[in-house]
Amino acid sequence: MKEIPEIESFLKGLPGFEALNDRQIHVAARGIDIAYYRKGSDVFSIGDRNTSLNIVRSGAVELKDADDELVLRLAEGDGFGFPSLMNAAPVRHSSRTLEDTLVYHLDGDVFQSLRRESEDFDTYYIRALSDRLLEQPVRPSTFKGAGDTPVGALVGRPPVTIDRSATIRQTTQAMVDQRVSAMLIMDGDDVTGIVTDRDIRSRVVAAGRSSDDPVETIMTSSPFTLDAGAQSYAAALVMMQKNIHHLPVTEEGQLIGMVSRSDFMRLETEHPLYLVSDIAKQHTPDGIAAACQRLPGLVLRQIEADADGEQLGQFITMITDTITRQLIRIAEEELGPAPCRFAWMALGSQARLEQSAKSDQDNALVYEDGVADDVDTYFRAMAKIVNDGLDACGYVYCPGDVMASNPKWRQDLAGWKKTFTRWITVPEQKALMHANIFFDLRAVDGDETLVDELKDHIRDTAPGNELFLALMSKNAMYFQPPLGFFRQFVLERSGEHRNTLDIKLHGIMPIVEIARIRALAAGHMRMSDGLVKGQNR
């Protein structure tokens, strides 16, 4: 007979389970079968069907791959089997006891139910899955294959909705009944809003709001939507870019369901979305830097999986954006709220959503006009926290000091308009150099309307200045293809990268220069601010 109180006490001390309430712990304890394995026994063999989360209660277990190579050793409190359970796939590693061992087998249906009920519990096992994949010497992950999967294939159930006339209480009860962590709010056939468990906690419980209030008073309006035929990497981009957890999916304009971050587990891939989730939970620059140590491994796995350059550049950029936003949140926690409207601007490759795995910083800051002179003291302190934090995460300080910590690149909107007007109307060599960086800009955080107004100013000013455009074109002609007399590649002759080909300098930059000049001449700028519109959580 199971000793339920003893099992409950043990579970409460386990990572992940600490997020569950007493009722959920009790449900978990009742869903556990206890098994005893003698030393040298096989718990699972490769290819077995697994229907449980398995937790070492006492003893030790080792996991090995198909080549009999050691993957991991597990001790008391460690879990295994969740990758096959969460992916509904055969067991990929054998598990054998190293000594006499007790194992708690938590029923898979109970485990999945707890994941649906508790977002924190679910997130823990998403992270655990990600970390376990990083530790495994297995075949390259399938980012590219995942990217080719239509997002509609990730929709696991019909849409769960409620009319906007419903109360908060009715909506919450429907979420409990349907066992969902988010509810779509409808106005007829149109999605008008979304409410999540997080909204209930922060906007109702914490705010002391009455549960009889209309649900539309707490919903996030105009949520992002994506067509079912879009590739899943596009969904991940949106969720990473805007730091949202749920995304409604439509087909021919009709709502067919919703995907969440956890749905990406079904792709069975090492996904940057997991890293983004971790970064967003950090409250110190050191914590963010520690999380970012996983980035090189993630990038390598995507390259090994033949991810194309566009997808890879976009994902790397979105991770940089997430780091930047979280550092700004940390700065605001330390310094207090910003004294006025502002926007943090990405420049260069980050603005174009085409960062490489090793990039330096290029950023700036704009704030609203007509404010007191001393507001810059606040933004100087913010810029230092963010620029120092980015450097600690591997985005080294810009050699040319093009960063928001430089007062030249931290101005009010009127100041920025004057700066761009001067560059365009008096195009000196330094102005052309700055144009290569500053004319690709994008709001990463803050009030995007400030950046939109600055872009409008550039669009209105640049096309009418033919001298500026001509000099930029002449400047672009200095880029020569890296080909020798016999059409062989010309490699670097000296320095750190001797005998290598600088693809960015000799291949990518000339194309970027030409595109920028044509865009400015036509009165356009690169618009990389987002894939879709809306405000999900």
Side-chain angles (χ1 to χ4, degrees), residues 32-44:
I32 281 177
D33 286 330
I34 305 173
Y36 170 75
Y37 298 87
R38 298 187 67 86
K39 178 181 178 180
S41 300
D42 290 329
V43 183
F44 290 108

PDB file of all heavy atoms in Angstrom, residues 32-44:
ATOM      1  N   ILE A  32       1.063   7.797  -8.681  1.00  0.00           N
ATOM      2  CA  ILE A  32       2.390   7.173  -8.707  1.00  0.00           C
ATOM      3  C   ILE A  32       2.302   5.683  -8.374  1.00  0.00           C
ATOM      4  O   ILE A  32       1.620   5.281  -7.421  1.00  0.00           O
ATOM      5  CB  ILE A  32       3.343   7.889  -7.732  1.00  0.00           C
ATOM      6  CG1 ILE A  32       3.853   9.189  -8.358  1.00  0.00           C
ATOM      7  CG2 ILE A  32       4.520   6.995  -7.338  1.00  0.00           C
ATOM      8  CD1 ILE A  32       4.729  10.018  -7.469  1.00  0.00           C
ATOM      9  N   ASP A  33       2.999   4.901  -9.173  1.00  0.00           N
ATOM     10  CA  ASP A  33       3.236   3.488  -8.863  1.00  0.00           C
ATOM     11  C   ASP A  33       4.704   3.357  -8.456  1.00  0.00           C
ATOM     12  O   ASP A  33       5.587   3.959  -9.070  1.00  0.00           O
ATOM     13  CB  ASP A  33       2.963   2.599 -10.074  1.00  0.00           C
ATOM     14  CG  ASP A  33       1.477   2.442 -10.351  1.00  0.00           C
ATOM     15  OD1 ASP A  33       0.696   2.503  -9.384  1.00  0.00           O
ATOM     16  OD2 ASP A  33       1.106   2.287 -11.524  1.00  0.00           O
ATOM     17  N   ILE A  34       4.974   2.546  -7.429  1.00  0.00           N
ATOM     18  CA  ILE A  34       6.330   2.372  -6.919  1.00  0.00           C
ATOM     19  C   ILE A  34       6.870   1.029  -7.404  1.00  0.00           C
ATOM     20  O   ILE A  34       6.203   0.002  -7.295  1.00  0.00           O
ATOM     21  CB  ILE A  34       6.357   2.422  -5.378  1.00  0.00           C
ATOM     22  CG1 ILE A  34       5.720   3.724  -4.880  1.00  0.00           C
ATOM     23  CG2 ILE A  34       7.783   2.293  -4.860  1.00  0.00           C
ATOM     24  CD1 ILE A  34       5.554   3.794  -3.374  1.00  0.00           C
ATOM     25  N   ALA A  35       8.073   1.051  -7.972  1.00  0.00           N
ATOM     26  CA  ALA A  35       8.679  -0.180  -8.485  1.00  0.00           C
ATOM     27  C   ALA A  35      10.090  -0.339  -7.917  1.00  0.00           C
ATOM     28  O   ALA A  35      10.821   0.648  -7.768  1.00  0.00           O
ATOM     29  CB  ALA A  35       8.724  -0.161 -10.008  1.00  0.00           C
ATOM     30  N   TYR A  36      10.449  -1.581  -7.620  1.00  0.00           N
ATOM     31  CA  TYR A  36      11.778  -1.895  -7.097  1.00  0.00           C
ATOM     32  C   TYR A  36      12.575  -2.616  -8.182  1.00  0.00           C
ATOM     33  O   TYR A  36      12.086  -3.553  -8.825  1.00  0.00           O
ATOM     34  CB  TYR A  36      11.667  -2.773  -5.857  1.00  0.00           C
ATOM     35  CG  TYR A  36      12.987  -3.343  -5.379  1.00  0.00           C
ATOM     36  CD1 TYR A  36      13.916  -2.542  -4.725  1.00  0.00           C
ATOM     37  CD2 TYR A  36      13.300  -4.684  -5.606  1.00  0.00           C
ATOM     38  CE1 TYR A  36      15.133  -3.066  -4.300  1.00  0.00           C
ATOM     39  CE2 TYR A  36      14.507  -5.216  -5.179  1.00  0.00           C
ATOM     40  CZ  TYR A  36      15.426  -4.398  -4.534  1.00  0.00           C
ATOM     41  OH  TYR A  36      16.630  -4.905  -4.126  1.00  0.00           O
ATOM     42  N   TYR A  37      13.801  -2.155  -8.426  1.00  0.00           N
ATOM     43  CA  TYR A  37      14.671  -2.753  -9.438  1.00  0.00           C
ATOM     44  C   TYR A  37      15.995  -3.154  -8.782  1.00  0.00           C
ATOM     45  O   TYR A  37      16.650  -2.333  -8.125  1.00  0.00           O
ATOM     46  CB  TYR A  37      14.948  -1.764 -10.578  1.00  0.00           C
ATOM     47  CG  TYR A  37      13.717  -1.334 -11.354  1.00  0.00           C
ATOM     48  CD1 TYR A  37      12.954  -0.249 -10.921  1.00  0.00           C
ATOM     49  CD2 TYR A  37      13.323  -2.017 -12.493  1.00  0.00           C
ATOM     50  CE1 TYR A  37      11.825   0.154 -11.633  1.00  0.00           C
ATOM     51  CE2 TYR A  37      12.196  -1.633 -13.205  1.00  0.00           C
ATOM     52  CZ  TYR A  37      11.456  -0.547 -12.769  1.00  0.00           C
ATOM     53  OH  TYR A  37      10.341  -0.158 -13.465  1.00  0.00           O
ATOM     54  N   ARG A  38      16.391  -4.426  -8.980  1.00  0.00           N
ATOM     55  CA  ARG A  38      17.679  -4.874  -8.455  1.00  0.00           C
ATOM     56  C   ARG A  38      18.807  -4.270  -9.291  1.00  0.00           C
ATOM     57  O   ARG A  38      18.611  -3.849 -10.436  1.00  0.00           O
ATOM     58  CB  ARG A  38      17.767  -6.397  -8.472  1.00  0.00           C
ATOM     59  CG  ARG A  38      16.727  -7.086  -7.589  1.00  0.00           C
ATOM     60  CD  ARG A  38      16.976  -8.583  -7.515  1.00  0.00           C
ATOM     61  NE  ARG A  38      18.233  -8.865  -6.793  1.00  0.00           N
ATOM     62  CZ  ARG A  38      18.318  -8.970  -5.470  1.00  0.00           C
ATOM     63  NH1 ARG A  38      17.232  -8.823  -4.719  1.00  0.00           N
ATOM     64  NH2 ARG A  38      19.469  -9.239  -4.890  1.00  0.00           N
ATOM     65  N   LYS A  39      19.997  -4.222  -8.717  1.00  0.00           N
ATOM     66  CA  LYS A  39      21.180  -3.708  -9.415  1.00  0.00           C
ATOM     67  C   LYS A  39      21.348  -4.415 -10.756  1.00  0.00           C
ATOM     68  O   LYS A  39      21.262  -5.645 -10.852  1.00  0.00           O
ATOM     69  CB  LYS A  39      22.419  -3.907  -8.546  1.00  0.00           C
ATOM     70  CG  LYS A  39      23.711  -3.446  -9.207  1.00  0.00           C
ATOM     71  CD  LYS A  39      24.907  -3.700  -8.299  1.00  0.00           C
ATOM     72  CE  LYS A  39      26.210  -3.277  -8.975  1.00  0.00           C
ATOM     73  NZ  LYS A  39      27.390  -3.512  -8.096  1.00  0.00           N
ATOM     74  N   GLY A  40      21.600  -3.596 -11.811  1.00  0.00           N
ATOM     75  CA  GLY A  40      21.809  -4.151 -13.144  1.00  0.00           C
ATOM     76  C   GLY A  40      20.540  -4.414 -13.923  1.00  0.00           C
ATOM     77  O   GLY A  40      20.593  -4.948 -15.037  1.00  0.00           O
ATOM     78  N   SER A  41      19.392  -4.008 -13.381  1.00  0.00           N
ATOM     79  CA  SER A  41      18.123  -4.218 -14.082  1.00  0.00           C
ATOM     80  C   SER A  41      17.875  -3.119 -15.104  1.00  0.00           C
ATOM     81  O   SER A  41      18.253  -1.957 -14.904  1.00  0.00           O
ATOM     82  CB  SER A  41      16.959  -4.257 -13.086  1.00  0.00           C
ATOM     83  OG  SER A  41      17.125  -5.297 -12.155  1.00  0.00           O
ATOM     84  N   ASP A  42      17.189  -3.484 -16.198  1.00  0.00           N
ATOM     85  CA  ASP A  42      16.780  -2.497 -17.200  1.00  0.00           C
ATOM     86  C   ASP A  42      15.408  -1.940 -16.831  1.00  0.00           C
ATOM     87  O   ASP A  42      14.449  -2.712 -16.663  1.00  0.00           O
ATOM     88  CB  ASP A  42      16.711  -3.129 -18.588  1.00  0.00           C
ATOM     89  CG  ASP A  42      18.085  -3.482 -19.136  1.00  0.00           C
ATOM     90  OD1 ASP A  42      19.047  -2.774 -18.788  1.00  0.00           O
ATOM     91  OD2 ASP A  42      18.186  -4.460 -19.907  1.00  0.00           O
ATOM     92  N   VAL A  43      15.336  -0.613 -16.712  1.00  0.00           N
ATOM     93  CA  VAL A  43      14.039   0.031 -16.506  1.00  0.00           C
ATOM     94  C   VAL A  43      13.346   0.196 -17.854  1.00  0.00           C
ATOM     95  O   VAL A  43      12.187  -0.154 -18.035  1.00  0.00           O
ATOM     96  CB  VAL A  43      14.200   1.390 -15.793  1.00  0.00           C
ATOM     97  CG1 VAL A  43      12.829   2.016 -15.528  1.00  0.00           C
ATOM     98  CG2 VAL A  43      14.969   1.230 -14.490  1.00  0.00           C
ATOM     99  N   PHE A  44      14.109   0.741 -18.829  1.00  0.00           N
ATOM    100  CA  PHE A  44      13.618   0.863 -20.200  1.00  0.00           C
ATOM    101  C   PHE A  44      14.736   0.478 -21.160  1.00  0.00           C
ATOM    102  O   PHE A  44      15.922   0.726 -20.888  1.00  0.00           O
ATOM    103  CB  PHE A  44      13.176   2.298 -20.522  1.00  0.00           C
ATOM    104  CG  PHE A  44      11.933   2.729 -19.806  1.00  0.00           C
ATOM    105  CD1 PHE A  44      12.003   3.640 -18.770  1.00  0.00           C
ATOM    106  CD2 PHE A  44      10.692   2.237 -20.182  1.00  0.00           C
ATOM    107  CE1 PHE A  44      10.865   4.047 -18.099  1.00  0.00           C
ATOM    108  CE2 PHE A  44       9.546   2.635 -19.515  1.00  0.00           C
ATOM    109  CZ  PHE A  44       9.629   3.538 -18.473  1.00  0.00           C
TER     110      PHE A  44
END
